[in-house]
Amino acid sequence: MSKEKVTIQDIADALGLSRTTVSKALNGSSGMPEKTVRAVLQKAKEMNYKQFAYLSDVQDTDAGQSEKGGNLALLAHIMPNRFHIASTLMATLEQEISKHGYSLTIHILSNDDILSLSLPQNLKLGQVDALICLELFDEAYTRMLCGLRKPVLFSDAYCGFPHHSLHADLLLMENKYSVYHMLHSIIKTTGIRTVGFIGDPNHCLSFHERFESFQAALLDTGIPFHPQNCIIDDDNYYGDDRWLSNRLTGLSELPDLFFCANDLLAMQTISCLSGMGISVPEDVLLCGFDDTFSLSSMNSTLTTVRTPSADMGIIASRLLLNRIADPDLPPTFTYLRTEVQFRQSTKLPGHS
């Protein structure tokens, strides 16, 4: 391969690193881990990237010499898009760990990886100091990762996680109080008498906690829980608008209020209801969870729970670095505070 054709992305792909990490290593940015810099420079020399003849003397550090920083691997079952709060978490996480000399590699798990309990082929476990997992809700795969003798942090998890003895840390948004407060306030203020839930309560731990608080708010306000007012099917179906429209049409009657397990479901539900000639909030009230920043067209109208997604990356970096420094610390469950945003979709603009 001629040197003119070699790019930073080529080097990044060869090493399984991000383009940003490779660029920083090549440009001598401060705070980069020494072993990452050496690997990047050596690969640049091998691939004849520009003028790297001086790399002939690049050697491993002496056996007794300590190194700063290292490598963290992020595992995700799906790649979070711009509508997902995890996209902000990933960005702030990489920024924070780079301050301590760590680099981040990203690995997307296939269904085959999950079923076979296998790590991605491009993940070299011996070169990884810790793992962080996003959108990974499979119990068997979670247990496999916890048995690798590496620090592991899960951002959300499968719904049975807290009841099992797994040596891993867990990072979550606060779900229970915020959902209870939101629904209790809407019910008491508007005087509605029927409420439905949309989402699979067993999709993940967060959805399960939100469903529990939904039920608690109904119980404490004297509203009966009617499963026929809810759409709580297995989560395999929710990406299909036609399926959701059919389920909404099949309800015996619409409740006064829908609580959707997150804002993406809320947006999808509003769209499906609109196709049925039903308006929010004129015909039915609706609220969600996340306050997803990318849904700018809805942010001014949707009652929801705001989550500090950027801060989540900062907290995740601290949990990982603490775990690397002291692997024998007891596992921790960390909840970040959330805040209810009352808006027009529940006829409560500016209510607090």
Side-chain angles (χ1 to χ4, degrees):
M1 181 181 293
S2 63
K3 65 182 179 181
E4 289 81 4
K5 294 183 180 180
V6 177
T7 66
I8 289 176
Q9 189 62 57
D10 293 329
I11 300 171
D13 291 342
L15 293 171
L17 299 173
S18 70
R19 188 181 185 281
T20 300
T21 296
V22 172
S23 178
K24 288 180 178 179
L26 293 174
N27 290 303
S29 299
S30 60
M32 291 295 296
E34 294 177 8
K35 60 184 177 182
T36 300
V37 173
R38 289 198 309 277
V40 170
L41 297 181
Q42 185 64 45
K43 183 59 67 175
K45 178 191 175 185
E46 293 172 2
M47 299 177 71
N48 292 322
Y49 177 75
K50 296 184 179 180
Q51 300 298 324
F52 274 86
Y54 65 91
L55 284 178
S56 58
D57 293 330
V58 172
Q59 303 290 336
D60 288 338
T61 55
D62 294 335
Q65 184 176 349
S66 63
E67 298 177 346
K68 295 181 179 180
N71 299 300
L72 305 183
L74 185 148
L75 300 178
H77 194 190
I78 62 169
M79 181 56 133
N81 60 29
R82 63 189 183 91
F83 297 110
H84 201 292
I85 62 171
S87 61
T88 308
L89 183 155
M90 290 168 60
T92 53
L93 172 66
E94 184 165 21
Q95 292 173 3
E96 287 299 310
I97 64 173
S98 67
K99 296 176 184 177
H100 300 273
Y102 284 84
S103 59
L104 181 70
T105 58
I106 298 173
H107 308 270
I108 306 303
L109 298 168
S110 68
N111 289 332
D112 287 341
D113 291 331
I114 300 291
L115 290 173
S116 63
L117 302 181
S118 302
L119 294 173
Q121 291 185 354
N122 62 344
L123 175 57
K124 309 301 181 185
L125 193 61
Q127 300 174 10
V128 172
D129 297 285
L131 305 168
I132 178 170
C133 303
L134 305 179
E135 290 293 308
L136 181 54
F137 306 138
D138 184 88
E139 179 179 347
Y141 202 85
T142 297
R143 290 181 176 278
M144 183 275 289
L145 292 177
C146 292
L148 294 177
R149 298 184 181 276
K150 292 282 184 179
V152 187
L153 171 65
F154 292 91
S155 176
D156 209 347
Y158 68 94
C159 61
F161 186 98
H163 307 293
H164 299 151
S165 299
L166 300 173
H167 195 80
D169 297 310
L170 178 64
L171 178 61
L172 286 166
M173 299 298 182
E174 192 287 313
N175 295 291
K176 290 189 175 181
Y177 174 77
S178 55
V179 168
Y180 180 91
H181 172 55
M182 177 174 65
L183 295 177
H184 192 280
S185 297
I186 295 169
I187 292 168
K188 286 297 187 182
T189 304
T190 62
I192 60 175
R193 298 306 305 163
T194 55
V195 186
F197 184 94
I198 296 182
D200 179 5
N202 295 315
H203 171 67
C204 61
L205 179 57
S206 288
F207 277 29
H208 191 74
E209 291 184 345
R210 293 167 199 175
F211 183 67
E212 288 181 328
S213 287
F214 159 81
Q215 292 179 303
L218 265 58
L219 178 64
D220 290 351
T221 53
I223 294 182
F225 167 60
H226 293 303
Q228 62 267 29
N229 290 332
C230 303
I231 301 176
I232 51 178
D233 306 66
D234 185 273
D235 65 358
N236 290 329
Y237 305 104
Y238 286 92
D240 185 345
D241 284 356
R242 184 169 56 181
W243 173 85
L244 182 57
S245 293
N246 288 337
R247 289 291 284 111
L248 288 166
T249 303
L251 296 179
S252 56
E253 63 176 326
L254 292 178
D256 298 325
L257 167 71
F258 276 124
F259 168 48
C260 300
N262 64 18
D263 285 357
L264 292 178
L265 280 173
M267 180 178 67
Q268 185 183 12
T269 302
I270 289 174
S271 176
C272 291
L273 289 172
S274 177
M276 298 163 55
I278 299 170
S279 298
V280 175
E282 290 78 11
D283 301 315
V284 60
L285 306 183
L286 186 142
C287 56
F289 195 104
D290 283 338
D291 203 21
T292 309
F293 71 92
S294 296
L295 302 180
S296 56
S297 62
M298 294 179 59
N299 276 347
S300 61
T301 62
L302 181 64
T303 291
T304 187
V305 176
R306 176 176 294 168
T307 57
S309 53
D311 294 335
M312 203 168 189
I314 297 173
I315 299 300
S317 70
R318 293 176 182 174
L319 291 171
L320 285 164
L321 296 178
N322 286 342
R323 178 61 60 193
I324 292 170
D326 194 345
D328 295 326
L329 285 173
T332 62
F333 291 179
T334 303
Y335 283 82
L336 272 65
R337 182 177 178 179
T338 54
E339 182 181 1
V340 179
Q341 302 294 305
F342 292 102
R343 299 182 180 129
Q344 290 88 340
S345 69
T346 53
K347 297 183 179 179
L348 294 173
H351 179 76
S352 61

